[in-house]
Amino acid sequence: MNPKKDLEPTLKHVALENGTEAPFSGKYFKETARGTYNCAVCANPLFASDTKFETKIPGLMGWPSFDDAISGSIELRPDDSDGMQRTEVVCKNCKAHLGHVFDDKSETKTGKHYCINSVCLNLEKDNA
Ligand SMILES: [Zn+2]
């Protein structure tokens, strides 16, 4: 069975074709519930909710922001598409495209700002 075959169209476009969901369109950019954000393709745990924050940087608003990833969960790749030099974030397990990471010393403790597409994430909420 190939789990990548039956992805819904937006996820397929973003995760497999390095697309970007429209800002403010995703389900998690305002999410504040506690839990773990898993890869929407393979369920690999990627980000913890306590690393999530709401950015005030124009251009990065409208997508979920994190200042750290779960250790060993992601891979970084240089990306010079769209006339920009960026660093792509992919799931280490299934290589799905997740978003990009930027240097950000103004908003994050880590200096890293992960700008991730909601559609690539599944929030597994902690039990209250
Ligand atoms: Zn994955």
Side-chain angles (χ1 to χ4, degrees):
M1 197 190 88
N2 180 0
K4 292 185 180 177
K5 220 172 121 184
D6 299 318
L7 300 178
E8 60 94 7
T10 309
L11 176 57
K12 195 171 174 188
H13 173 64
V14 174
L16 305 187
E17 299 163 3
N18 293 1
T20 301
E21 70 191 7
F24 306 103
S25 73
K27 54 189 167 176
Y28 292 137
F29 74 94
K30 281 196 152 178
E31 181 64 63
T32 56
R34 298 190 57 80
T36 304
Y37 289 86
N38 299 328
C39 175
V41 178
C42 75
N44 184 26
L46 300 172
F47 298 96
S49 62
D50 59 4
T51 64
K52 187 175 187 301
F53 63 101
E54 222 176 302
T55 184
K56 302 208 164 40
I57 298 177
L60 298 183
M61 288 167 69
W63 295 279
S65 296
F66 301 89
D67 65 12
D68 207 358
I70 292 172
S71 179
S73 68
I74 58 156
E75 231 173 77
L76 302 179
R77 297 175 173 173
D79 174 12
D80 57 7
S81 64
D82 298 329
M84 293 177 269
Q85 287 201 326
R86 296 179 293 178
T87 302
E88 181 189 9
V89 182
V90 303
C91 172
K92 186 159 195 167
N93 184 48
C94 73
K95 314 299 180 195
H97 171 83
L98 304 171
H100 291 90
V101 59
F102 302 90
D103 290 326
D104 179 1
K105 297 212 170 18
S106 65
E107 292 188 316
T108 71
K109 301 178 284 281
T110 59
K112 297 294 172 195
H113 183 148
Y114 294 85
C115 181
I116 304 298
N117 291 282
S118 292
V119 72
C120 300
L121 301 171
N122 258 332
L123 174 59
E124 195 179 313
K125 291 185 186 172
D126 287 346
N127 295 320

